[in-house]
Amino acid sequence: MRDRDAQQDSKPALLGRAANTALLTGWAMLALGGATLAGTATASPTAGLSSGSSLTLGNVSHPHARDTSINPAASPIGPAFSTSILRVGAGAELGPVDDLIDELDELQDDLDGDFNTIADAEDARDKANEFLVQAGEDGYAKLSAFGHVPITPLSMQLPWGDGGISLDVRFTGQSRLGILDAPVNAYADGGDFGIETDTSLYIKGAVLREITFGYGHNVWQGERSELLLGFSLTHYQSDLSKIVIPLQDADDVGDTITDEYDANQKQDTDIGAGLGLLWNSDYYRFGIVGRNLNQPELEFGAIGQCCHELSGDAQERCKMAQQFGDRIDLEETWTLDPQMSLEAAVYNEDQSWVLAASYDTNSVKDPVGDDQQWFAVSVSTVPQARLLPEWRFGYRENMAGSELTYVTTGFTLLRSFSLDIAYGLDNVTHTSDDDEEDYPRSVMFNVGLDIAF
């Protein structure tokens, strides 16, 4: 047995010190992003987050959507003028490891505790090593959130010619906690018995601030159909940071994250270019969008560098990052690879019913390194009476990376207030007092207040 009850009573669990802190740091970074730049945006789901009703509808130039920022070619056929008073959203995601946080809590307690015999320490070692094999491969916790600067996304048809413009100003915060596993060893030091390991927490964070301008134009007009072409330019500004924290010394992980995020972060800027093509007809439309065609790049702050210039815990964390240098990039650049997306929608004559779908043809990485390639399909209806709610239902799937699937639904009241939710179909199990409960690995929600006329 181990003598750790007093230690458990005197300190919070690892969830409070590590996972919770890391995820809350994502919210803090998001707030920082909003406070430090009054005008920033993105029209595309760069961080894997779809804005507004597109969480359910998909990344489609949709007749029921209030803005046209998804495809820059769509602005000439959207509302004459649309703007947003509020547009925010968030999502959480867990890796496919049951009882991840509880197991980390127990491992942390074992690392801090003393055992009565070497046999007890060896039992704890064997259990920890079995858990860490899966945790190192699949264990993570992730939080993403975004918000648009008020009045954006904004789009309008130009009063002259056959063109339209769009402006989107958005900031995104993202935080990911992963596990760098290492063997757990049992030791005997005189009459003391315990376990030790180099297993570490690997935390990556990003604040992404973007400004996107789009222009679309009607390039061909038929009797019942038209062809539209558009382009977009996005100015990216990022604050990217990452930290390696040894689990053995994770007592003050909350303070460590707070202190070292600024020390390790690097600010960078670049510009991304996009093109959009849309064929629009009385009963259907389909299009293609290319994002980041020039492959912009944004750099992380380096870790594991010049450790001899540091001292104390900071030097130990630096050396630990070096030790895992064969598994993580000590100097990392986030490359926004080009991504092509297809979209399609069919509808009845008055567009009160719409069936739509979108599909990313290739995967790209989000700021914290996870692959994103989304497919979405939806059905939606808009009653003629403005007092009745608009309803939409859908399904979405990440075709790469996590390969998570979701059912989605949303509604819009008074043609303005919208709420959309994505509920993950993949579960993790939490065991408590011999009871097992399943929880979704991921959930997302968006809230918006839009005006269009």
Side-chain angles (χ1 to χ4, degrees):
M1 296 294 291
R2 59 198 169 203
D3 300 325
R4 61 174 188 173
D5 292 340
Q7 293 174 340
Q8 282 184 298
D9 293 338
S10 64
K11 67 175 186 174
L14 179 65
L15 173 60
R17 295 194 310 275
N20 211 29
T21 303
L23 295 182
L24 290 176
T25 299
W27 286 103
M29 291 187 298
L30 180 62
L32 175 65
T36 54
L37 192 63
T40 53
T42 181
S44 63
T46 306
L49 298 170
S50 295
S51 177
S53 59
S54 61
L55 181 62
T56 301
L57 298 176
N59 294 322
V60 179
S61 305
H62 203 284
H64 296 168
R66 296 296 187 270
D67 68 83
T68 60
S69 58
I70 291 175
N71 187 336
S75 52
I77 61 171
F81 179 84
S82 69
T83 186
S84 181
I85 299 172
L86 173 71
R87 187 74 75 86
V88 297
E93 183 179 319
L94 293 172
V97 179
D98 295 335
D99 294 317
L100 172 65
I101 301 304
D102 289 341
E103 293 285 356
L104 285 174
D105 283 340
E106 184 171 352
L107 175 56
Q108 176 68 20
D109 290 332
D110 286 345
L111 290 169
D112 292 342
D114 295 324
F115 293 85
N116 293 329
T117 67
I118 188 63
D120 291 336
E122 290 173 344
D123 288 342
R125 174 202 62 192
D126 295 341
K127 181 180 179 181
N129 280 325
E130 182 180 358
F131 160 70
L132 285 174
V133 169
Q134 185 183 12
E137 183 176 353
D138 299 322
Y140 66 90
K142 179 178 176 181
L143 175 69
S144 305
F146 72 88
H148 294 254
V149 171
I151 80 167
T152 71
L154 178 150
S155 65
M156 63 178 296
Q157 297 178 7
L158 296 176
W160 61 87
D162 297 315
I165 59 173
S166 61
L167 175 67
D168 195 9
V169 180
R170 161 173 156 163
F171 48 92
T172 302
Q174 198 163 63
S175 180
R176 187 185 195 277
L177 182 150
I179 310 298
L180 297 171
D181 64 298
V184 178
N185 299 309
Y187 68 86
D189 184 10
D192 296 328
F193 307 100
I195 61 173
E196 59 187 2
T197 181
D198 288 335
T199 296
S200 299
L201 306 177
Y202 183 38
I203 301 169
K204 300 179 74 173
V207 174
L208 184 64
R209 305 186 289 269
E210 309 155 80
I211 303 175
T212 299
F213 172 80
Y215 174 77
H217 193 83
N218 184 315
V219 295
W220 180 84
Q221 180 69 55
E223 182 178 349
R224 306 191 68 174
S225 57
E226 58 187 327
L227 179 64
L228 302 108
L229 182 65
F231 73 89
S232 65
L233 290 175
T234 300
H235 177 265
Y236 294 104
Q237 182 171 333
S238 64
D239 292 300
L240 305 178
S241 182
K242 53 186 180 178
I243 312 169
V244 173
I245 304 176
L247 192 62
Q248 191 95 37
D249 305 314
D251 289 340
D252 299 317
V253 65
D255 293 337
T256 300
I257 294 173
T258 302
D259 295 340
E260 291 206 9
Y261 175 78
D262 289 339
N264 291 345
Q265 82 173 24
K266 181 170 183 178
Q267 189 175 98
D268 202 1
T269 61
D270 209 337
I271 293 177
L275 289 174
L277 186 70
L278 186 66
W279 180 273
N280 183 53
S281 182
D282 289 346
Y283 296 97
Y284 65 91
R285 65 180 57 166
F286 59 87
I288 184 170
V289 179
R291 306 183 185 95
N292 298 314
L293 299 178
N294 59 324
Q295 204 172 42
E297 296 181 342
L298 301 166
E299 292 187 3
F300 275 85
I303 58 174
Q305 308 291 315
C306 302
C307 297
H308 64 280
E309 298 178 0
L310 304 174
S311 60
D313 291 340
Q315 186 179 66
E316 291 303 313
R317 288 188 289 271
C318 182
K319 290 181 178 179
M320 191 61 69
Q322 286 182 337
Q323 182 172 319
F324 287 105
D326 60 336
R327 295 169 57 181
I328 62 175
D329 293 324
L330 302 182
E331 296 181 83
E332 182 177 356
T333 297
W334 175 37
T335 301
L336 285 75
D337 291 321
Q339 185 178 53
M340 305 297 290
S341 298
L342 305 176
E343 58 165 294
V346 293
Y347 33 81
N348 59 350
E349 185 174 1
D350 63 0
Q351 298 185 348
S352 59
W353 285 90
V354 178
L355 176 65
S358 62
Y359 175 71
D360 298 332
T361 62
N362 62 291
S363 67
V364 296
K365 292 190 180 298
D366 65 14
V368 295
D370 292 330
D371 288 325
Q372 307 287 333
Q373 182 184 3
W374 290 96
F375 164 75
V377 62
S378 68
V379 60
S380 59
T381 181
V382 175
Q384 294 296 321
R386 295 182 61 88
L387 294 179
L388 295 178
E390 306 172 23
W391 289 100
R392 46 192 172 268
F393 303 91
Y395 169 89
R396 65 167 42 236
E397 179 178 355
N398 186 1
M399 308 295 288
S402 67
E403 298 184 347
L404 287 171
T405 59
Y406 303 79
V407 290
T408 55
T409 186
F411 64 87
T412 300
L413 298 178
L414 302 176
R415 303 292 198 266
S416 295
F417 175 79
S418 64
L419 173 64
D420 288 81
I421 298 173
Y423 188 89
L425 298 177
D426 301 271
N427 295 325
V428 289
T429 301
H430 174 70
T431 304
S432 176
D433 297 328
D434 297 325
D435 291 330
E436 292 187 353
E437 295 184 71
D438 290 336
Y439 294 93
R441 281 183 52 198
S442 180
V443 293
M444 296 183 282
F445 76 91
N446 289 348
V447 177
L449 184 60
D450 305 315
I451 300 173
F453 51 85

